[in-house]
């Protein structure tokens, strides 16, 4: 299996088998979709000549149609390019069964210019998440099976973590496009989809399907390793909101939030014999 979510073609990006979700053999998971969208946004910022001075501070993706396992293009547009801000939109486009192109996901990204912090003191949480011990997960940029912590200690055995405890994950990014270098923003944008995994995972598996990804960052991750730690899960009448802390080996870098719909009839059970890739989108 090719170790990337997409292959570049003359017409766009062809998903590899690694991009396939657990919901359907013809449905792409959100990790791949978000990674490709963030790649398109980075290209737009490069064209502006502002990649060095701007940080992707807010990134939001609406996953309103199931992206299919078929040729995909990303179309971006510039909404605002100011002295301290750049606002970009992006659309993920695929052809439907009749060959007509349609948008399957859309995103916005607010880039902000870096500067000095003010001198005043502001409260922040002292209880921060941390990566697994080095003997469990030594530093690497090579993709591996995600590690989890819950009521059970850190391990890559998914079945051990199907419980009602607080879930934390530590992951290394899979390259978005074969033959292209992975970037820190693509890393955190793709792994952010796993917010649904940690915040919506309980005793019966993952019984919720997320409809979006919202990522707020104070900085890019320091490398290709990113962790997500559940902060809260709120659910009412079949709608849930899950919030996670986003961190790397140097500390907390932001938060990620997903809203989700109940999907108990098609729950992802990690105690079942076969486990596939990440799952997302309605």
């Amino acid at each position: 299996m090719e170790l990337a979510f997409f292959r570049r073609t003359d017409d766009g990006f062809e998903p590899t088998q690694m991009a396939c979700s657990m919901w359907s053999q013809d449905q792409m998971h959100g990790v791949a979709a978000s990674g490709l969208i963030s790649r398109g946004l980075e290209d737009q910022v490069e064209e502006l000549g502002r990649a060095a001075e701007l940080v992707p501070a807010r990134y939001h993706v609406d996953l309103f149609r199931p992206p299919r396992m078929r040729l995909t293009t990303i179309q971006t547009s510039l909404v605002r390019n100011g002295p301290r801000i750049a606002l970009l939109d992006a659309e993920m486009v695929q052809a439907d069964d009749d060959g007509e192109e349609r948008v399957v996901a859309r995103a916005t990204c607010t880039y902000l210019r870096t500067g000095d912090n003010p001198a005043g003191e502001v409260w922040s949480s002292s209880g921060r998440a941390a990566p697994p011990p080095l003997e469990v997960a030594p530093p690497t940029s090579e993709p591996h099976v995600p590690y989890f912590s819950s009521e059970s200690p850190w391990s890559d055995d998914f079945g051990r973590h199907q419980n009602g405890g607080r879930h934390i994950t530590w992951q290394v990014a899979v390259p978005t496009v074969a033959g292209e270098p992975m970037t820190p923003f693509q890393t955190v944008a793709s792994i952010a989809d796993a917010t649904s995994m940690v915040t919506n995972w309980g005793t019966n598996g993952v019984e919720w399907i997320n409809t979006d990804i919202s990522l707020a960052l104070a900085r890019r991750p320091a490398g290709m390793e990113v962790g997500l730690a559940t902060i809260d899960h709120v659910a009412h009448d079949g709608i849930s909101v899950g919030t996670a802390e986003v961190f790397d080996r140097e500390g907390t870098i932001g938060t990620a939030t997903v809203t989700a719909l109940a999907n108990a009839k098609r729950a992802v059970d990690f105690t079942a014999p076969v486990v596939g890739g990440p799952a997302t989108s309605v």
Side-chain angles (χ1 to χ4, degrees):
M1 184 182 295
E2 197 165 11
L3 193 60
F5 291 133
F6 298 90
R7 289 183 295 268
R8 179 191 286 275
T9 73
D10 292 339
D11 299 316
F13 300 92
E14 195 73 42
T16 70
Q17 190 57 33
M18 289 197 72
C20 187
S21 80
M22 289 181 290
W23 300 116
S24 166
Q25 288 301 304
D26 189 38
Q27 184 172 333
M28 187 188 302
H29 57 67
V31 177
S34 184
L36 192 64
I37 291 169
S38 64
R39 182 199 169 284
L41 290 165
E42 282 192 315
D43 281 351
Q44 180 74 62
V45 173
E46 286 281 356
E47 289 179 16
L48 294 175
R50 305 191 66 187
E53 66 172 340
L54 297 177
V55 168
R58 181 189 177 276
Y59 170 70
H60 177 82
V61 183
D62 290 311
L63 300 162
F64 52 87
R65 286 193 180 99
R68 308 281 290 278
M69 292 289 289
R70 56 182 59 177
L71 186 71
T72 304
T73 59
I74 304 296
Q75 299 176 2
T76 61
S77 59
L78 178 65
V79 178
R80 161 79 168 145
N81 187 20
R84 302 179 66 188
I85 187 172
L87 180 61
L88 287 76
D89 286 350
E91 293 181 335
M92 184 177 213
V93 180
Q94 296 181 331
D96 60 20
D97 293 336
D98 296 323
E100 196 166 322
E101 289 195 340
R102 66 175 183 172
V103 178
V104 298
R106 65 183 182 187
T108 62
C109 191
T110 301
Y111 280 80
L112 300 178
R113 195 179 72 188
T114 59
D116 295 329
N117 287 345
E121 295 183 5
V122 179
W123 180 91
S124 64
S125 175
S126 58
R128 299 297 190 184
L134 292 177
E135 58 269 23
V136 175
T140 181
S141 59
E142 295 297 320
H144 57 67
V145 176
Y147 291 100
F148 289 92
S149 171
S150 59
E151 289 179 353
S152 296
W154 284 105
S155 77
D156 59 6
D157 184 340
F158 284 46
R160 291 179 179 271
H161 299 289
Q162 189 143 302
N163 55 56
R166 181 197 186 196
H167 284 77
I168 308 174
T169 189
W170 182 251
Q171 304 191 17
V172 181
V174 172
T176 303
V177 179
E180 295 187 6
M182 194 61 169
T183 68
F185 179 44
Q186 289 177 47
T187 293
V188 70
S190 61
I191 293 175
D193 182 72
T195 302
S196 184
M197 177 83 161
V198 293
T199 63
N200 289 318
W201 194 2
T203 56
N204 293 333
V206 180
E207 300 180 285
W208 302 85
I209 185 166
N210 59 303
T211 62
D212 66 5
I213 309 163
S214 290
L215 181 63
L217 297 172
R219 62 170 173 85
R220 295 179 179 88
M224 302 300 113
E225 299 173 293
V226 170
L228 301 168
T230 301
I231 295 174
D232 202 2
H233 180 270
V234 180
H236 185 74
D237 286 347
I239 299 172
S240 75
V241 177
T243 306
E245 176 185 352
V246 185
F247 62 99
D248 61 11
R249 291 196 182 273
E250 297 182 5
T252 300
I253 64 175
T255 59
T257 304
V258 294
T259 52
L261 290 168
N263 203 40
K265 291 183 179 179
R266 298 179 65 198
V268 178
D269 183 358
F270 289 103
T271 63
V274 178
V275 175
T280 187
S281 86
V282 295

